[in-house]
Amino acid sequence: MKIAISGTYSAGKTSTVMALSRYTGVPRTLARTIREILPEAVPGKALAEVTPAEFLQLMLRRHTGRVAAEAVLGDHFISDGSSLQEWLYGAGRVMHGMNPNATADNAGGRAVVQEAEMEFFAKVVDQYAIALKQHVKDTYDAYVHLEHELPIAADGHRPMNEGFRATIDKMLLQTLDELEIPYHIIRGTMPERLTRICELFDLKPVMSMDEALELSRQDYAAQDFRLETERVAQAA
């Protein structure tokens, strides 16, 4: 079975995927994140600074990385998100602006004025949606959607805009309904999440919960959380 763990910023997708993979022995996809891709795609810029054209490049790179990672694992894996998120992060920017941080204090966190280049950006994002939805429909058997129970982590990378996050969350679930992909909404502590997901998909533990959580904490801590600009500076 191919399962995607979905959710918006700070919902705990990555940590849940890492823990679930350790707990059940089901492999997880290892595609690079936007944070990792950005320094080579748009050197010297933070995500909040990219142009519409640059963001389209990031969407393409992230999607192709996901596809390659999925292909390696065949028909049995857990994915940290899916290509729906690449589309939705673009679609969300059509409504909330290229830098959602700058519109966070507006009503609904939305952009007040749309720049001219955003009209073409919106049309391209809509075309990307056709391809990305089809890929997701053809790839995943089911979704686990994590409610965003915690505030957005202020790490300098994630958009600090609750309206933006709510838009993506709503659109994602609407799209799963549209694609007729079954999904389950999960909340709670990490042990509660893992127990519930195993029940839903009849997944069997291969180690104790405590051992899985400790190993997943080590996996999470091993990630490179430097900002995009810090990566470029160190590489130089």
Side-chain angles (χ1 to χ4, degrees):
M1 174 170 276
K2 294 170 285 188
I3 303 168
I5 307 296
S6 72
T8 54
Y9 290 105
S10 297
K13 293 187 301 298
T14 299
S15 57
T16 299
V17 168
M18 288 177 169
L20 183 62
S21 179
R22 288 289 192 178
Y23 190 48
T24 64
V26 177
R28 60 185 175 91
T29 56
L30 294 171
R32 292 194 303 162
T33 64
I34 289 292
R35 191 193 295 258
E36 293 170 310
I37 295 168
L38 191 55
E40 68 184 46
V42 192
K45 283 191 174 183
L47 183 58
E49 300 170 326
V50 301
T51 66
E54 290 166 342
F55 195 84
L56 291 172
Q57 182 203 169
L58 291 171
M59 291 173 68
L60 179 62
R61 284 178 181 259
R62 178 67 165 138
H63 168 64
T64 55
R66 283 192 189 276
V67 172
E70 292 162 357
V72 169
L73 296 178
D75 293 328
H76 193 48
F77 61 80
I78 303 162
S79 178
D80 185 348
S82 75
S83 292
L84 284 185
Q85 286 168 227
E86 274 60 77
W87 159 57
L88 288 169
Y89 289 156
R93 281 169 168 79
V94 173
M95 292 178 273
H96 296 271
M98 285 307 300
N99 177 11
N101 293 325
T103 61
D105 294 331
N106 296 346
R110 297 206 171 206
V112 176
V113 178
Q114 286 284 14
E115 298 178 4
E117 66 179 331
M118 292 299 286
E119 293 182 15
F120 183 71
F121 175 75
K123 292 177 181 178
V124 177
V125 168
D126 285 346
Q127 291 300 307
Y128 273 25
I130 296 171
L132 300 185
K133 286 180 182 181
Q134 187 62 60
H135 170 73
V136 167
K137 175 68 173 176
D138 292 343
T139 300
Y140 293 97
D141 298 305
Y143 266 64
V144 169
H145 185 71
L146 305 177
E147 288 192 353
H148 52 265
E149 303 173 72
L150 300 172
I152 302 172
D155 61 358
H157 174 79
R158 294 178 175 91
M160 300 298 293
N161 184 326
E162 287 291 349
F164 178 71
R165 181 161 74 156
T167 292
I168 292 171
D169 206 54
K170 180 180 178 180
M171 289 181 68
L172 197 153
L173 294 181
Q174 289 174 337
T175 302
L176 293 179
D177 286 332
E178 171 195 333
L179 298 177
E180 298 182 331
I181 298 175
Y183 64 89
H184 307 272
I185 299 176
I186 300 293
R187 61 180 297 129
T189 64
M190 189 62 74
E192 290 170 342
R193 291 181 180 187
L194 299 188
T195 298
R196 180 59 179 148
I197 295 170
C198 287
E199 291 172 349
L200 287 168
F201 300 105
D202 195 26
L203 300 175
K204 306 302 182 185
V206 297
M207 63 179 66
S208 71
M209 180 73 74
D210 287 343
E211 184 179 6
L213 293 178
E214 177 55 34
L215 289 173
S216 67
R217 278 192 286 267
Q218 294 174 21
D219 293 337
Y220 195 86
Q223 295 179 104
D224 187 348
F225 289 108
R226 288 174 299 165
L227 295 178
E228 302 84 354
T229 48
E230 293 173 331
R231 294 168 189 266
V232 171
Q234 183 160 334

